[in-house]
């Protein structure tokens, strides 16, 4: 343990000996630091859209001012500001609901009462939820592999996880490409993979993208309305299901995210080892 992580206490015992006690608090320090960093990050992430909303609201007031302002009313500018207010407030709303989702997930380990969930139903629901962003970019979402599979857990959480992966695949891909949602089973494990033909991820970012608020490209994430929390949520859901999520990617070619889940009821399966620590 590092020196920082050791609490030492010395006291004189009744028989004249000196007793030295040392407690390793490295883990406690780490947890406290992670929590402080997270609160600082959340505050920063919330301040950005709130600041933008304040400025935009001022600009909107200015553009619609009919009494004694310097400039005359400008309805076209007013509309632009209102649209940006709508966009920023939508993103802020998503940020708040994803933060709530994340805190719920963190408190819920292990998963209460896992249910059998048909992979087929997950896929159908995900396709339904991602139809609008996919068609906006003319991206075809294909389904391949064996769909008559069952996993165990919460259908709602699993749909959220796969939806996040497909939404990312769409967000980080150019128009007119394909996203493939593949399923297969190998020795007691069900794999659901999302393959895209998008921008890919640099090797240096690969390990970090599952961290809360980490984005490989901040500007692009903002432009797509991203919050930086989607993959952290996916990772928590995978962990809650005794599963894991992995990624492989080639910049400029595309990425593959694979969710591996136990294909047997929880009491019959052994948790899969975790790859990334956050
Ligand atoms: P965001 O809201 O920014 O998309 P995520 O947690 O979902 O946050 O993803 C974290 C980062 O990982 C993204 O900002 C992006 O840089 C990268 N990323 C995630 N999915 C993909 C993908 N399919 N292709 C390329 N980059 C991706």
């Amino acid at each position: 343990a590092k020196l920082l992580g050791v609490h030492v206490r010395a006291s004189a015992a009744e028989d004249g000996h000196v007793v030295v006690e040392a407690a390793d608090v490295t883990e406690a320090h780490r947890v406290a630091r992670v929590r402080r960093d997270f609160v600082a990050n959340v505050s920063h992430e919330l301040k950005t859209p709130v600041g933008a909303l304040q400025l935009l609201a001022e600009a909107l007031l200015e553009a619609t001012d009919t009494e004694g302002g310097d400039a005359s009313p400008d309805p076209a500018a007013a509309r632009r500001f209102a649209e940006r207010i709508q966009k920023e407030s939508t993103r802020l709303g998503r940020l708040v609901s994803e933060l709530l989702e994340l805190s719920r997930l963190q408190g819920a380990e292990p998963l209460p009462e896992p249910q059998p969930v048909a992979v087929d139903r997950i896929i159908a629901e995900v396709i339904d939820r991602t139809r609008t962003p996919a068609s906006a970019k003319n991206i075809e979402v294909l389904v391949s592999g064996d769909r008559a599979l069952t996993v165990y857990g919460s259908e709602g959480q699993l749909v959220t996880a796969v939806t996040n992966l497909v939404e990312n695949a769409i967000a980080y891909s150019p128009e007119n490409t394909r996203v493939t949602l593949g399923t297969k089973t190998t020795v007691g494990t069900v794999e659901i993979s999302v393959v895209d033909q998008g921008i890919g991820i640099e090797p240096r970012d690969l390990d970090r993208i599952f961290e809360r608020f980490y984005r490989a490209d901040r500007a692009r994430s903002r432009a797509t309305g991203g919050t930086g929390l989607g993959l952290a949520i996916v990772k928590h859901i995978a962990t809650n299901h005794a599963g894991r999520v992995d990624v492989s990617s080639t910049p400029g070619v595309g990425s593959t995210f694979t969710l591996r889940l136990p294909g047997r009821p929880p009491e019959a399966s052994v948790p899969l080892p975790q790859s990334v620590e956050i």
Side-chain angles (χ1 to χ4, degrees):
K2 281 188 238 127
L3 194 58
L4 169 78
V6 184
H7 274 183
V8 181
R9 202 175 66 157
S11 55
E14 279 169 14
D15 62 2
H17 282 91
V18 172
V19 180
V20 178
E21 291 170 275
D24 182 3
V25 290
T26 311
E27 180 58 16
H29 273 290
R30 195 189 69 84
V31 169
R33 198 192 57 235
V34 167
R35 189 167 298 152
R36 267 198 314 275
D37 288 354
F38 181 59
V39 172
N41 278 339
V42 169
S43 312
H44 176 79
E45 296 288 337
L46 291 172
K47 262 162 95 173
T48 311
V50 168
L53 284 170
Q54 277 164 351
L55 291 175
L56 287 165
E58 277 164 29
L60 178 59
L61 283 172
E62 187 88 0
T64 52
D65 188 6
T66 50
E67 290 165 22
D70 300 339
S72 48
D74 181 350
R79 195 173 167 83
R80 277 200 310 277
F81 293 133
E83 279 167 3
R84 286 178 55 195
I85 287 175
Q86 188 182 42
K87 210 170 144 191
E88 284 295 333
S89 55
T90 303
R91 217 177 72 83
L92 183 59
R94 172 154 356 129
L95 188 59
V96 171
S97 51
E98 289 191 352
L99 277 169
L100 280 174
E101 169 101 36
L102 201 56
S103 88
R104 257 204 313 270
L105 286 169
Q106 281 169 335
E109 285 172 85
L111 196 73
E113 298 183 40
Q115 304 289 323
V117 184
V119 170
D120 216 18
R121 281 175 59 108
I122 300 175
I123 305 273
E125 182 64 25
V126 171
I127 299 280
D128 218 43
R129 290 193 188 188
T130 53
R131 216 179 287 281
T132 309
S135 65
K137 292 178 83 171
N138 195 29
I139 289 176
E140 197 183 353
V141 182
L142 300 170
V143 179
S144 80
D146 188 357
R147 291 173 69 175
L149 301 170
T150 303
V151 289
Y152 297 85
S154 150
E155 181 172 327
Q157 284 191 18
L158 293 170
V159 167
T160 299
V162 182
T163 302
N164 283 358
L165 294 178
V166 174
E167 280 176 349
N168 278 349
I170 294 167
Y172 299 102
S173 290
E175 292 186 357
N176 309 313
T177 52
R178 266 186 196 157
V179 171
T180 309
L181 197 44
T183 54
K184 71 173 185 183
T185 178
T186 48
V187 282
T189 302
V190 171
E191 287 184 16
I192 303 177
S193 60
V194 179
V195 185
D196 68 46
Q197 302 173 320
I199 60 171
I201 302 159
E202 294 290 338
R204 64 166 185 274
D205 296 315
L206 271 188
D207 280 354
R208 303 206 54 194
I209 53 170
F210 293 97
E211 293 173 19
R212 296 169 289 208
F213 297 124
Y214 189 86
R215 291 103 153 181
D217 180 342
R218 232 160 224 284
R220 190 187 287 261
S221 164
R222 247 189 108 69
T224 60
T227 60
L229 294 174
L231 288 180
I233 289 174
V234 175
K235 185 168 184 249
H236 269 285
I237 292 174
T239 309
N240 283 1
H241 284 76
R244 56 185 281 177
V245 56
D246 294 296
V247 57
S248 66
S249 184
T250 310
V253 177
S255 310
T256 299
F257 285 83
T258 307
L259 188 60
R260 292 190 173 83
L261 300 163
R264 302 189 189 110
E267 60 273 17
S269 59
V270 180
L272 297 170
Q274 293 302 306
S275 56
V276 200
E277 182 61 33
I278 56 166

